[in-house]
DNA sequence: CTGTATCCTCCGAGATACTG
DNA sequence: CAGTATCTCGGAGGATACAG
């Protein structure tokens, strides 16, 4: 089998080229997940809707600038939904979209592998240090 | 239920604190996956051992500096194994460790979500543009 | 062939102050 | 409350040349 060149920024025409389209799909997922605060933010939303200030309070050391920026990205990516309630003053709620909620499957796989891999590394280290 | 504060750089003592230990495990996995070239490199290794130059040829625009750097990180993380053959000149082969190969489960989940999510976004866009 | 060594650029993210 | 506006800095990654 002739292996195909793999390009991190591949163009759309080659979407039917198998290994590359996989890399593309993984890249899409990565883009949603990368950034220092995306994961913590998503973790706060797992148990339901939250307001800006609530999220800020639950994530130590995040600045409003970063929270705002990351929430906007997540919204643009169709991961979270932003709802404005015209109370006085206005309150804003953030929550997962269905698509956002379904990313939990990915996170589950990552948790499982992360824990297994940590054990593997620990075992290797403890054997080395006997 | 009292929600716990989520910290991206949590210390090890709180490993038993459930939501945080999940975030930690996900972070471990992310650390292995982040970097512009890790995924393309891993993609080249899916079908078996490869030499430095072979990998370099299959990944357009990667520089030896970056390939070297990323391979070293992958090796340190226990994802790939580096084997030196004392031919003349020496040839070096890179391949997955079992732990590295098992990350495929994560990638599969990412491929599936990435493709679903792309469809979701496409549908939304095409409805907007009717 | 399998990498290192330098130098350089750009962007993610922190600090801090301010706004409607 | 829910953000925005500036300023700054470190580190990821590129270009290019060189080494064993």
């Amino acid at each position: 089998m002739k292996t195909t060149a793999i390009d991190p920024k591949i163009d759309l025409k080659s979407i039917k080229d198998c290994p590359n389209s996989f890399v593309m799909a993984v890249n899409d997922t990565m883009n949603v997940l990368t950034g220092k605060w995306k994961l913590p933010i998503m973790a706060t939303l797992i148990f339901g809707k939250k307001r800006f200030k609530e999220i800020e309070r639950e994530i130590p050391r995040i600045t409003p600038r970063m929270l705002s920026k990351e929430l906007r990205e997540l919204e643009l990516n169709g991961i979270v939904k932003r709802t404005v309630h015209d109370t006085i003053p206005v309150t804003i709620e953030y929550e997962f979209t269905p698509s956002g909620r379904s990313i939990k499957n990915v996170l589950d796989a990552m948790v499982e592998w992360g824990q297994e891999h940590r054990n593997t590394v620990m075992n290797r280290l403890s054997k080395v240090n006997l």
Side-chain angles (χ1 to χ4, degrees), chain A:
Chain A
M1 169 186 187
K2 169 135 185 2
T3 9
T4 320
I6 313 259
D7 191 328
K9 286 295 176 196
I10 202 74
D11 67 316
L12 290 171
K13 282 175 294 183
S14 52
I15 190 162
K16 285 184 301 196
D17 184 350
C18 167
N20 282 339
S21 80
F22 286 177
V23 170
M24 270 186 51
V26 175
N27 269 329
D28 286 350
T29 310
M30 287 297 287
N31 286 336
V32 168
L33 258 29
T34 50
K36 186 172 177 185
W37 302 104
K38 296 247 175 60
L39 240 32
I41 291 171
M42 292 172 66
T44 67
L45 294 179
I46 285 177
F47 300 114
K49 304 181 180 188
K50 289 265 166 63
R51 295 170 57 182
F52 190 91
K53 201 67 182 180
E54 291 179 299
I55 304 175
E56 191 181 348
R57 263 193 296 270
E58 288 184 27
I59 305 181
R61 286 184 294 289
I62 195 172
T63 59
R65 180 177 118 81
M66 289 313 293
L67 181 52
S68 170
K69 187 164 160 284
E70 300 289 62
L71 279 172
R72 203 180 314 128
E73 272 183 50
L74 289 170
E75 193 192 354
L76 280 172
N77 279 321
I79 308 301
V80 304
K81 188 164 135 260
R82 179 178 184 272
T83 315
V84 183
H85 301 275
D86 51 353
T87 50
I88 298 175
V90 293
T91 56
I92 315 248
E93 280 185 329
Y94 292 92
E95 64 187 311
F96 277 123
T97 61
S99 196
R101 210 170 293 110
S102 75
I103 208 176
K104 188 174 179 307
N105 296 330
V106 175
L107 299 181
D108 285 346
M110 293 179 81
V111 167
E112 190 177 351
W113 186 86
Q115 287 172 345
E116 274 178 28
H117 186 248
R118 177 179 287 265
N119 290 337
T120 308
V121 172
M122 299 292 236
N123 278 332
R124 196 184 48 187
L125 287 180
S126 65
K127 273 170 194 162
V128 167
N129 293 332
L130 279 183

